[in-house]
Amino acid sequence: MMEDIDGMFTDLLGEMDLLTQSLGYETDSSEISSSSSQIENNFSIGFTDLKESLNELEDHDLDALMADLGSDLTETEETLNAAKTGHVHTQQHKSGLYTPQQNVQAPIPSSSSSSLPPEPSKPLPAGEAEAQAKADKIKLALEKLKAAKVKKLVVKVMMSDGSSKTLMVDERQTVRDVLDNLFEKTHCDCSVDWSLCETNPELQAERGFEDHEYLVEPLSAWTRDSENKILFLLRPNKYLLFKDPQIFYLWKKHKQFMNEIKECHKELLLKEHFEGPSVIVPDLEGPLYLREDRKKSWKRRYFLLRASGIYYVPKGKTKTSRDLACFLQFDKVNIYTTTDYKQKYKAPTNFCFILKHPQIQKESQYIRFLCCDDEHTLSLWVNSIRVAKYGATLYHNYQKAVRRALTTTSTLHVTSLPVSSPPTHSTGHIATVRANGHPDQDDLSEPPPDFIPPPPPGWGSVV
């Protein structure tokens, strides 16, 4: 019986590989014949249509978009005109019909085509004039966006307080770039814990975008009718593995030992596992619950994490490498944490995660469901899988985030210092101040000969 289940796993994994390959190359004919209104939705995330999203942009962001689009189109037109001119000249030389441009005269317009100048329009009130100007900009931006050579999205980002920010993101911007933009717009601190996350209400799942990802790429996989959202929020677990590496690399040790580890030992752990010739993945292993396809039941199996993927121990086998069966590899899937799967899928606990291809946005037999006993185990698996998938790139992301936070902290400290002018003396001499705050004795000016010191405090008072 268990051999049949193992065989079914192997077949399903093979089917998943075929699916992921086809997702990259097949195109639905209905997608090609979509209407213009559907196409416009590809330029905005979180809005009903593109016009609404552009209207939400702040004026300076809209102006910046117009300038960017204008430069893109100008460069594209120049390239096309140069190629077209070269092609025409080549054809004319080949056919012997080349005529110098100076010999070609423009047609003279006839008098019948002339008309009276239009009547000047009445000036609009200030408020209406501003609204009309923005409407004209939006109309022009709609046309330019469709012709731009660099893909751009107008994205609504939800804040933790329920408000939102509207950003223009192009395909060259990483998540790190978008985070920096949000820092400037929200005036919040630049903590390494700030994250951009995607939520999928249908799957009740969410994932934090990695800082090195190009944001437009995963957003382009969302369907037009998607209810997914982008959140800007603090996630303390984002870089927990680098702040407390002992939790993941010494997970078999006693909890008290890990809590007492010194900072210098944490640095040694990071250097040993991330700064060598190759990244060392946490040797994580343990029992997890697997949701079996078609049966909708959860079975407990023993899983092991390796750099190449997740493996499991078949029934009746040992944990030796030759007996392990590959459950999943990470090159074509992302990892998502979930919400309330105990009720949705009758999971043993609510500490679940799923692994799926980014283009799978709805329930599918190709999604892998795993469930942990507790929150700590969930954190171990999710963060260790991120290391196995992204390797040293994840560590570099953390280092950049730390430098960004330190730079901002230093800038705030400098700008908050009081500005004081140096003391001046009538002689023009400025005393040198020692580190302890006292002036250097060599720099003190000698008093004049007729100087009389003041009386001590309390002198001459009546007792």
Side-chain angles (χ1 to χ4, degrees), residues 52-198:
E52 179 196 356
S53 65
L54 291 175
N55 196 51
E56 288 293 321
L57 281 175
E58 296 178 7
D59 289 340
H60 64 275
D61 289 333
L62 185 57
D63 291 338
L65 169 63
M66 296 295 296
D68 193 19
L69 290 172
S71 62
D72 278 353
L73 291 179
T74 301
E75 184 179 345
T76 304
E77 289 172 0
E78 289 176 354
T79 303
L80 291 175
N81 289 335
K84 186 184 296 184
T85 303
H87 177 72
V88 170
H89 286 181
T90 302
Q91 293 296 326
Q92 289 174 337
H93 278 294
K94 287 182 178 180
S95 60
L97 299 176
Y98 178 74
T99 305
Q101 292 295 321
Q102 59 267 25
N103 294 336
V104 180
Q105 297 182 356
I108 301 174
S110 62
S111 58
S112 59
S113 62
S114 61
S115 59
L116 295 175
E119 295 182 1
S121 57
K122 296 180 180 179
L124 296 174
E128 294 183 16
E130 292 178 4
Q132 183 62 41
K134 185 168 185 178
D136 293 339
K137 286 182 182 179
I138 291 174
K139 183 178 179 180
L140 185 58
L142 287 170
E143 298 173 359
K144 289 187 174 183
L145 268 175
K146 297 173 186 178
K149 64 177 182 178
V150 177
K151 185 169 185 179
K152 304 174 189 291
L153 290 177
V154 183
V155 179
K156 177 185 284 187
V157 181
M158 304 303 298
M159 306 287 114
S160 57
D161 61 357
S163 62
S164 65
K165 294 289 182 182
T166 303
L167 306 176
M168 171 59 66
V169 182
D170 71 42
E171 60 187 353
R172 299 164 296 187
Q173 290 179 290
T174 64
V175 172
R176 178 79 258 163
D177 296 329
V178 178
L179 285 174
D180 289 343
N181 191 359
L182 284 168
F183 291 157
E184 294 178 4
K185 286 183 175 291
T186 59
H187 307 289
C188 65
D189 62 12
C190 299
S191 166
V192 298
D193 295 334
W194 282 109
S195 304
L196 273 185
C197 305
E198 63 168 317

Side-chain angles (χ1 to χ4, degrees), residues 143-319:
E143 298 173 359
K144 289 187 174 183
L145 268 175
K146 297 173 186 178
K149 64 177 182 178
V150 177
K151 185 169 185 179
K152 304 174 189 291
L153 290 177
V154 183
V155 179
K156 177 185 284 187
V157 181
M158 304 303 298
M159 306 287 114
S160 57
D161 61 357
S163 62
S164 65
K165 294 289 182 182
T166 303
L167 306 176
M168 171 59 66
V169 182
D170 71 42
E171 60 187 353
R172 299 164 296 187
Q173 290 179 290
T174 64
V175 172
R176 178 79 258 163
D177 296 329
V178 178
L179 285 174
D180 289 343
N181 191 359
L182 284 168
F183 291 157
E184 294 178 4
K185 286 183 175 291
T186 59
H187 307 289
C188 65
D189 62 12
C190 299
S191 166
V192 298
D193 295 334
W194 282 109
S195 304
L196 273 185
C197 305
E198 63 168 317
T199 63
N200 185 315
E202 182 166 342
L203 294 175
Q204 295 177 201
E206 74 170 42
R207 176 179 82 96
F209 293 116
E210 303 297 349
D211 287 359
H212 67 275
E213 288 186 78
Y214 292 97
L215 185 59
V216 168
E217 184 177 346
L219 297 186
S220 299
W222 292 7
T223 56
R224 287 186 298 272
D225 58 346
S226 173
E227 296 183 1
N228 295 6
K229 287 182 173 59
I230 303 174
L231 306 180
F232 176 58
L233 72 168
L234 286 167
R235 289 176 57 128
N237 269 347
K238 180 178 180 179
Y239 289 127
L240 179 63
L241 188 141
F242 303 113
K243 291 186 284 187
D244 291 312
Q246 76 280 4
I247 296 177
F248 302 88
Y249 286 98
L250 304 176
W251 61 275
K252 295 178 183 179
K253 298 287 186 180
H254 194 272
K255 188 174 181 181
Q256 183 178 355
F257 168 80
M258 291 192 292
N259 291 336
E260 295 175 353
I261 193 169
K262 298 179 180 179
E263 289 297 324
C264 60
H265 295 153
K266 294 181 183 181
E267 293 176 4
L268 288 175
L269 278 174
L270 291 178
K271 186 173 182 179
E272 176 186 354
H273 292 89
F274 288 94
E275 297 181 10
S278 60
V279 171
I280 301 175
V281 176
D283 59 342
L284 191 60
E285 61 180 69
L288 297 173
Y289 296 95
L290 169 68
R291 184 174 185 259
E292 296 183 347
D293 293 312
R294 300 186 181 93
K295 293 185 178 181
K296 297 183 179 181
S297 59
W298 297 79
K299 297 295 183 183
R300 193 175 176 89
R301 284 180 171 266
Y302 200 90
F303 289 88
L304 300 93
L305 178 65
R306 298 291 183 264
S308 57
I310 300 178
Y311 294 78
Y312 68 95
V313 180
K315 188 69 173 180
K317 300 291 184 178
T318 63
K319 292 192 295 181

Side-chain angles (χ1 to χ4, degrees), residues 378-396:
L378 175 63
S379 177
L380 286 178
W381 278 96
V382 170
N383 286 287
S384 299
I385 288 174
R386 290 170 63 211
V387 174
K389 179 175 174 63
Y390 300 111
T393 303
L394 199 65
Y395 185 47
H396 297 156

